[in-house]
C-alpha cells in the first residue's frame, strides 16, 4: 500500500508540491498552500484503491497511503463509520490538513485556557464546530490551532484524506470533563 508507484497521481503531485513548499519557515502558510492545492486538485473516492477504504469495527480506520522518505510527510485515508470519532487531541507538534471525500465530519477546535504540561492538566475552551462536507478542506492542525476532535455525526460512512508533516509518534489526549490529558503513544 505505502509505495509511491501505487499512489494516486494527484497524491504524488501533492508530495511534489510539498517538496516546493517545505522550505517555508511559516508552517501556517504551508498548511494554507496545501489546503488550497487540494481544493484545486480534487480526488474522488472511487479513484482510490479498495484497501484505502477499509473500515474497522472497533474504531475509525487509519489507512496509511504513503510516507515520503525524503520529506517525512505522510498521507492517510481515514474511514469513519457513523458515531466513530477521535476525541480532543493534538498531533504532538505535527501540522495537518484534512479533506473530506465522502460523508460528513464534524470538526471541533479547542483553544487552551490553562496549560500545565508538567502536572498533566489542561483546561480547554471549545470553539465553533465546522462541518466538513465532501470536497471541503480543513486545516485541522495548523500552528496555534493544534487541538481538535473529529466525529462522524452523520448517518453514512465518512472518508477523509489527511496530510501530516510527519508521522505522529506521541500526542496528547484531553479529558474535557476533568481538565486533564494523557500522553498517548502511536503504535
Ligand atoms: Fe487529529
Amino acid at each position: 500500500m505505502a509505495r509511491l508507484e501505487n499512489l494516486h497521481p494527484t497524491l504524488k503531485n501533492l508530495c511534489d508540491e510539498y517538496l516546493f513548499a517545505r522550505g517555508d519557515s511559516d508552517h501556517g502558510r504551508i498548511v494554507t498552500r496545501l489546503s488550497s492545492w487540494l481544493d484545486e486538485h480534487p480526488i474522488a473516492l472511487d479513484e482510490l484503491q479498495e484497501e484505502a477504504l477499509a473500515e474497522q469495527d472497533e474504531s475509525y480506520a487509519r489507512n496509511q497511503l504513503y510516507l515520503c522518505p525524503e520529506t517525512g510527510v505522510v498521507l492517510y485515508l481515514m474511514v469513519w463509520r457513523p458515531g466513530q470519532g477521535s476525541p480532543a487531541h493534538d498531533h504532538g507538534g505535527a501540522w495537518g490538513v484534512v479533506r473530506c471525500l465522502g460523508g460528513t465530519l464534524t470538526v471541533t477546535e479547542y483553544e487552551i485556557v490553562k496549560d500545565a504540561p508538567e502536572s498533566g492538566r489542561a483546561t480547554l475552551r471549545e470553539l465553533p464546530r465546522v462541518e466538513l462536507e465532501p470536497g471541503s478542506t480543513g486545516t485541522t492542525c495548523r500552528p496555534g490551532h493544534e487541538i481538535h476532535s473529529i466525529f462522524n455525526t452523520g448517518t453514512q460512512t465518512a472518508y477523509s484524506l489527511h496530510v501530516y508533516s510527519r508521522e505522529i509518534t506521541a500526542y496528547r489526549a484531553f479529558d474535557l470533563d476533568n481538565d486533564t490529558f494523557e500522553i498517548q503513544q502511536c503504535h
Side-chain angles (χ1 to χ4, degrees), residues 4-165:
L4 187 61
E5 58 265 34
N6 295 334
L7 198 58
H8 186 289
T10 300
L11 296 178
K12 281 186 192 173
N13 291 338
L14 171 67
C15 291
D16 288 341
E17 178 71 9
Y18 180 58
L19 275 173
F20 293 117
R22 66 174 172 158
D24 195 332
S25 59
D26 182 340
H27 291 173
R29 209 154 47 204
I30 295 176
V31 166
T32 302
R33 179 170 171 171
L34 293 183
S35 173
S36 302
W37 193 93
L38 281 167
D39 285 338
E40 292 161 10
H41 301 83
I43 298 165
L45 265 186
D46 60 9
E47 297 170 8
L48 295 172
Q49 294 177 326
E50 207 172 302
E51 309 94 277
L53 309 181
E55 302 179 15
Q56 279 185 14
D57 290 334
E58 60 277 13
S59 74
Y60 71 94
R62 182 187 177 94
N63 302 323
Q64 190 183 100
L65 302 179
Y66 186 60
L67 192 161
C68 176
E70 189 170 357
T71 64
V73 79
V74 61
L75 310 179
Y76 292 98
L77 200 293
M78 301 208 190
V79 187
W80 318 75
R81 286 180 175 166
Q84 290 182 335
S86 181
H89 63 280
D90 67 11
H91 283 190
W95 55 252
V97 176
V98 57
R99 181 171 176 84
C100 183
L101 302 182
T104 306
L105 288 166
T106 302
V107 179
T108 308
E109 288 187 354
Y110 300 86
E111 64 179 4
I112 287 200
V113 179
K114 275 189 224 158
D115 197 6
E118 66 288 346
S119 64
R121 300 194 64 79
T123 305
L124 306 184
R125 179 185 296 130
E126 186 176 318
L127 299 174
R129 297 175 179 197
V130 175
E131 301 282 317
L132 284 185
E133 305 281 351
S136 55
T137 310
T139 52
T140 61
C141 202
R142 62 195 184 282
H145 299 266
E146 283 89 358
I147 304 167
H148 57 275
S149 65
I150 302 184
F151 280 90
N152 180 357
T153 53
T155 55
Q156 296 183 349
T157 299
Y159 301 86
S160 52
L161 171 70
H162 297 244
V163 184
Y164 297 156
S165 56

